[in-house]
Amino acid sequence: VYGVGSPWHQVALALDFLGEPAGSAMVIGAVATGCLLLRCPRAAVLTVAGVAVSVGTATLLKHLVGRTIHGDGNLSYPSGHTAFATALALAVTLPATGRLGLGRTAGTSLVLTASLMAGAAMGWAQVALGAHYPTDVLGGWCTALAVIPATAWLVDRTADRLLDRTAPAGQRELH
């Protein structure tokens, strides 16, 4: 896959831009705004916090593992770009499955398919551009798969606690 020609090189560069700070900020801002417009504040918080924690975890792991590519000192494992894309897909589809009323099997299938497709697309771009090895991509995908469910649980737990604190005394038992 390394060294793809045009027009695929341009596609890989466009995908790569989405994982860069400017591109990811635009995407996260758009998704979070969409969540707020749809009156899904938990999904907005999960999008921002989940992606940030996933990319932060990938960055921390890079320094712990110390794997480089091309001998120029660039840390490569796990891929932060792939962690970003996978985390974003998970942060969008997890709340969507509940909102759409999908059952456990259909919801799990949607979440895993979306995360696999997003991770595979970004991973392909990273390998095609020579920025990562395939195992770096797999590490980034797995990082997001581990971090997003835990972050979603924390967001829900925190939101539930805040609701309990702000609910009138007679309605607290209803939550």
Side-chain angles (χ1 to χ4, degrees):
V1 212
Y2 178 69
V4 294
S6 216
W8 293 111
H9 184 75
Q10 299 305 317
V11 173
L13 285 173
L15 286 171
D16 179 65
F17 172 74
L18 295 177
E20 294 294 327
S24 63
M26 289 189 305
V27 172
I28 292 168
V31 171
T33 300
C35 291
L36 292 173
L37 290 173
L38 291 171
R39 299 181 192 262
C40 301
R42 288 185 194 204
V45 171
L46 176 61
T47 298
V48 174
V51 171
V53 172
S54 292
V55 172
T57 301
T59 302
L60 176 65
L61 287 171
K62 282 180 190 246
H63 291 283
L64 291 174
V65 173
R67 181 180 191 182
T68 61
I69 190 166
H70 302 306
D72 57 5
N74 286 331
L75 296 172
S76 65
Y77 183 88
S79 166
H81 281 71
T82 306
F84 162 77
T86 304
L88 184 64
L90 287 167
V92 169
T93 56
L94 278 173
T97 59
R99 191 168 176 108
L100 296 172
L102 299 178
R104 179 172 280 179
T105 303
T108 302
S109 296
L110 174 66
V111 168
L112 290 177
T113 300
S115 71
L116 181 61
M117 290 174 62
M122 184 61 81
W124 165 82
Q126 295 306 298
V127 172
L129 293 172
H132 286 284
Y133 299 112
T135 52
D136 300 338
V137 168
L138 182 60
W141 186 72
C142 289
T143 299
L145 282 178
V147 169
I148 290 293
T151 306
W153 179 81
L154 286 171
V155 167
D156 278 346
R157 188 162 169 90
T158 303
D160 288 344
R161 283 185 181 170
L162 289 173
L163 281 175
D164 285 345
R165 285 185 191 160
T166 59
Q171 293 181 356
R172 286 190 181 145
E173 293 79 32
L174 298 176
H175 286 291

